Amino acid sequence: MGTPEPKRLGEGAMARVARILAARGIDPAAVPDPDTDEPHPGLAAAEARIPLRYRHAVAEHPQVAAWVRAVATRAASPSKGARRLAATGPSVLLLGTTGTGKTHQAYGAIRSLTATGIGVRWQATTEADLYASLRPRPGGDTERELMTIARCPVLILDDLGAAKGSEWTEELLYRLINKRYNDVLPTLITTNLAIRDLRQSLGDRIASRLAEMTERVVLAGADRRRVRAA
């Protein structure tokens, strides 16, 4: 079986991105290709941190490619003559059942973004790993660690809604999402849950912010892991 066709949503948002790029003299069709023959230092550095399974991921979904262009367009130099850095931009919520390629698209987006030549400071974590890393421990500084992740210019938050929740986890997640919402920090979020289930699982405060800050990208089809194993 081949790779399922992605479902395209948000045509209006994509058109707005294209108009902004055209107004700035950037070809909206020019999507960075991270798999060119010419090595790119930024891409090589990113790939060294990307999990091996996703080291050659490609963001082929049109909405994810549009996200890359939008974030690259908003990159800014911290000082005159300095390298442009990813700073602010839109966020994406990748939805779909298990094995439809959500994490693949997220890491593909990181590869494409670093291939544009801008500086990209990014982190990636699953929701479960986030909570595990922030559990109180002797000598640990949970507040500093949370803010380091919350303020990171580009973040992948994988498997949202998969971890067992509590009042503590809900508060941590709210603070993370709220910080990124307020500062308009580009975030790639993946989840197996439908929108109605996200609201029930995460609470209204988080779900409301996600609804405004993200564009939804729905990936449909069979579990690609099971298909490959068959």
Side-chain angles (χ1 to χ4, degrees):
M1 294 180 62
T3 302
E5 286 292 325
K7 182 178 179 181
R8 294 188 61 177
L9 294 180
E11 295 293 339
M14 293 171 62
R16 288 194 298 273
V17 170
R19 288 196 296 271
I20 293 171
L21 294 173
R24 299 187 181 189
I26 300 173
D27 181 3
V31 181
D33 182 3
D35 291 318
T36 57
D37 292 334
E38 291 295 325
H40 191 285
L43 177 57
E47 288 179 343
R49 297 175 52 211
I50 292 174
L52 183 60
R53 186 169 299 278
Y54 303 107
R55 199 154 290 172
H56 299 289
V58 177
E60 70 271 12
H61 193 287
Q63 286 174 270
V64 180
W67 176 88
V68 172
R69 293 193 293 267
V71 174
T73 299
R74 293 194 186 188
S77 298
S79 59
K80 186 176 181 180
R83 185 184 185 189
R84 294 171 62 238
L85 306 176
T88 63
S91 295
V92 171
L93 180 63
L94 293 145
L95 303 112
T97 54
T98 300
T100 49
K102 302 180 296 296
T103 305
H104 178 98
Q105 290 293 321
Y107 279 111
I110 294 295
R111 294 186 68 238
S112 292
L113 189 59
T114 56
T116 64
I118 66 171
V120 183
R121 188 162 64 85
W122 64 278
Q123 291 193 45
T125 185
T126 66
E127 184 188 6
D129 287 338
L130 173 69
Y131 300 149
S133 69
L134 294 176
R135 293 197 184 281
R137 61 191 186 280
D141 189 342
T142 299
E143 182 67 20
R144 180 177 180 178
E145 293 168 4
L146 174 60
M147 284 299 102
T148 296
I149 297 173
R151 293 168 177 160
C152 186
V154 181
L155 176 68
I156 294 177
L157 180 57
D158 206 9
D159 276 341
L160 182 63
K164 185 176 181 180
S166 67
E167 289 186 6
W168 177 76
T169 60
E170 183 177 341
E171 191 63 29
L172 281 179
L173 185 61
Y174 167 75
R175 292 184 61 199
L176 173 69
I177 296 298
N178 188 58
K179 177 65 176 176
R180 304 191 69 78
Y181 168 83
N182 287 338
D183 292 347
V184 196
L185 297 174
T187 312
L188 294 150
I189 303 169
T190 77
T191 183
N192 293 348
L193 299 180
I195 292 296
R196 63 180 181 278
D197 297 324
L198 270 180
R199 182 174 295 276
Q200 182 177 355
S201 175
L202 306 177
D204 286 338
R205 295 187 304 169
I206 296 172
S208 174
R209 284 160 175 77
L210 291 177
E212 182 176 350
M213 69 187 277
T214 65
E215 180 178 2
R216 300 175 190 176
V217 178
V218 178
L219 301 181
D223 185 337
R224 300 196 299 182
R225 301 185 187 100
R226 294 182 181 274
V227 169
R228 290 168 181 169

